[in-house]
Amino acid sequence: MARVFVYGTLKKGQPNYKHMINTAKGLAKFQGRGRTVEKYPLVIAGKYNIPYMLNIPGTGHHVAGEIYSVDDQMLQFLDEFEGCPEMYQRTLMSIEVVEWEGKGGAGEARAAAEGVVECFVYSTTTYPPEWVGLPYHDNYDSSGKHGLSYVLRESR
């Protein structure tokens, strides 16, 4: 099992969460909520209002999201879904645990108790330079005050 941190449309209550609970795509077990240890710019960009975490450590905010334990099948689905490695790149990042529900072995408990876990995160180093000038968010919600509702793939 791999640990994945999601900060955008795959979170609970967001437009693509349905994929996280679709066992035909693999297994994803909610472990808890967290935020990036380092600051990153989280922007909403493009004509479909997609949330992107720009891989510019030290700039922006500590981005909030959810921590999942996923099997190989779900990880492969997420790579395809996220357009990895072209649109997003999957990299390991340190995530501060805010709330932990995960049940696992001693290693899981110790990591959660220490307050920081390593997770795969889909961020991007490939983006138009003007995206750096967009507003930075610390927590993504498709129906947030920003007024930039995400456009589902089936509606594009």
Side-chain angles (χ1 to χ4, degrees):
M1 300 289 276
R3 204 176 276 136
V4 175
F5 176 76
V6 299
Y7 56 84
T9 66
L10 292 166
K11 295 189 308 182
K12 290 180 182 181
Q14 296 305 308
N16 288 316
Y17 177 66
K18 62 188 178 220
H19 299 301
M20 298 299 285
I21 57 174
N22 182 346
T23 55
K25 293 177 172 26
L27 298 176
K29 182 171 175 19
F30 179 76
Q31 298 286 282
R33 294 183 307 108
R35 65 186 199 142
T36 58
V37 168
E38 288 201 69
K39 293 179 177 182
Y40 290 92
L42 172 59
V43 300
I44 301 170
K47 61 182 176 179
Y48 303 123
N49 298 324
I50 297 172
Y52 293 93
M53 184 189 302
L54 308 183
N55 199 342
I56 310 173
T59 301
H61 301 287
H62 299 282
V63 177
E66 297 172 349
I67 301 164
Y68 287 85
S69 181
V70 302
D71 66 5
D72 289 343
Q73 183 184 350
M74 178 58 79
L75 192 61
Q76 184 176 354
F77 165 78
L78 291 171
D79 280 354
E80 291 168 16
F81 182 79
E82 300 289 10
C84 184
E86 294 79 25
M87 188 159 99
Y88 290 95
Q89 294 78 49
R90 175 167 47 96
T91 55
L92 275 174
M93 288 185 188
S94 296
I95 303 299
E96 177 188 354
V97 174
V98 174
E99 182 182 309
W100 191 255
E101 290 184 13
K103 295 172 181 63
E108 289 274 325
R110 188 170 59 251
E114 289 169 5
V116 175
V117 293
E118 293 295 306
C119 297
F120 284 121
V121 180
Y122 293 92
S123 64
T124 187
T125 55
T126 54
Y127 52 85
E130 61 269 18
W131 286 10
V132 177
L134 293 171
Y136 298 164
H137 304 272
D138 62 352
N139 193 356
Y140 175 79
D141 183 343
S142 178
S143 55
K145 293 178 190 169
H146 49 70
L148 301 169
S149 293
Y150 174 79
V151 179
L152 287 167
R153 289 180 185 195
E154 47 270 29
S155 303
R156 296 179 191 170

